[in-house]
Each structure stands twice: as structure tokens, then as C-alpha cells.
Amino acid sequence: VRMLVVTGLGQSDALDTEKVHLAAASAAKACQALKAKAIACEVPLDEHAQAFVEGTLLGFYGFDKYRSSKDAKTHMPASVSFCAENLGPARKAAARAEIVTEAVSTARDLVNEPAAAINPASYVKEIRSLARGTGLKVKVFEQRELKQMKMGALLAVGVGSDITPRVVQMVHKPKGRVRRRVALVGKGVTFDAG
């Protein structure tokens, strides 16, 4: 049985990347609910192409690691095809979207893990594994270094656990002349976000 899933985007003059992203994810969820075996999507050839592919792929996301029943698992189609009139720009958008969705899905997996599975030590192990082969240098600051760096608040929170906190620094140095520096700061809280 062939089916057509149509998702509204609202007024064309109010169309933005976020609406395309959400509409594509909504269509993907509808396909999942229909237990579609194969899906074909036409990629818009404009600035929304990447958002469309990202939304579609992220719409299929599900965290099933601890589900034992086949019926409880997220349905995944056997194939998802993206079609476009002009393949060049569509391929570039799809390649970027694939990288983004893989990263977002990995972050979601880590967030969905129970506290018994992800703690500062296992989180560091996961980061090292993700960084392997990417050229990223990973440095882990443990309790002794954190004391020297006067990170008292972090250490005080960590007193409530048998596993001491860690701070991870990841550095990417591109080859050739560096034109600018970018610093991203975030936190990976494995139990208490207080």
C-alpha cells in the first residue's frame, strides 16, 4: 500500500527554518506510526534543505536500549530516500544534516541514559570514545587538578557521590593557519542539575 503524508507549513511569508524542521519531523513521526517500510521525501531546493533532512532524520529518533519487547521499540523504516531536482545542493545539505543528526542523536542517547549507567567516569569514557580518530585532543581534569584550579563549587556538589567529578577539555586544532578561535562551554550533568 502506498501512502502520501502531507504536512502543513503555514503561511509562506512566515516560513522559517524551524517550521520546516518541525514539519519534517512531524511527517517522519506520522510515517513511523504507519509503520512505513520505505519512505521517499522530496527535498526543498532552498535554504531550508538541511533543516528538512535534519527534521526528517531526527523525527525517527527513539531511545530503545533498555526496551526488551519488539512491540515497544521505535519503528524504523528499512530505507529513507531523499529526492531533489538538483542533486548537487541537496547532497551537500544532506551530508551536513547527517553529521548534525548523528551528533544530536548521540547527545540525546547520553541524556536518556539512567544515572546508574552514566556517571562522571563513564561519561569521560564515552567522550574519549567519541573523540577517537577525529583529531580532537581530550584532556581530563580530575579531583587533584580541580582542587588546584579552585573549583570548590563543583567539588562540593561531587561530595555527594562515590564517583568524583571531572572536567573535560576538548581541543581541535585545524591544519594550516588558524583564522579565528572558537570556544564552546557546556556541562554534562550526570545526576543532579541543581
Side-chain angles (χ1 to χ4, degrees):
V1 176
R2 293 187 179 204
M3 300 186 95
L4 179 65
V5 174
V6 179
T7 306
L9 293 168
Q11 297 294 324
S12 60
D13 58 346
L15 185 64
D16 61 17
T17 300
E18 184 64 18
K19 285 182 182 165
V20 171
H21 196 278
L22 291 172
S26 177
K29 291 281 182 205
C31 291
Q32 272 187 319
L34 294 167
K35 302 218 182 284
K37 293 180 181 173
I39 298 168
C41 311
E42 187 172 352
V43 179
L45 290 177
D46 57 17
E47 71 273 17
H48 304 303
Q50 183 175 338
F52 178 81
V53 177
E54 282 177 24
T56 303
L57 296 176
L58 289 172
F60 294 123
Y61 176 81
F63 187 72
D64 298 333
K65 186 174 178 180
Y66 300 104
R67 291 183 177 179
S68 57
S69 165
K70 280 188 177 180
D71 293 336
K73 291 191 181 283
T74 305
H75 170 75
M76 292 298 291
S79 70
V80 179
S81 304
F82 293 99
C83 317
E85 289 177 27
N86 188 341
L87 289 180
R91 278 194 178 123
K92 284 182 183 176
R96 287 190 303 268
E98 190 175 354
I99 292 167
V100 170
T101 55
E102 187 177 334
V104 170
S105 295
T106 299
R108 286 179 176 178
D109 286 347
L110 289 170
V111 167
N112 285 319
E113 283 286 355
I118 292 289
N119 56 56
S122 62
Y123 189 62
V124 165
K125 186 177 178 184
E126 186 68 30
I127 289 170
R128 286 190 192 280
S129 174
L130 290 168
R132 197 170 294 120
T134 65
L136 282 171
K137 289 185 181 176
V138 177
K139 180 170 177 150
V140 179
F141 299 93
E142 303 217 22
Q143 191 163 6
R144 185 175 50 81
E145 291 103 337
L146 298 177
K147 282 180 182 174
Q148 290 170 353
M149 296 162 71
K150 300 185 183 261
M151 293 191 157
L154 176 65
L155 291 166
V157 171
V159 168
S161 173
D162 292 337
I163 302 165
T164 58
R166 319 288 203 274
V167 170
V168 180
Q169 177 186 55
M170 294 184 285
V171 177
H172 170 65
K173 288 190 178 179
K175 294 179 180 176
R177 189 170 68 87
V178 177
R179 293 184 205 152
R180 62 181 179 177
R181 293 174 188 263
V182 177
L184 301 173
V185 180
K187 66 178 182 176
V189 179
T190 60
F191 184 65
D192 181 5

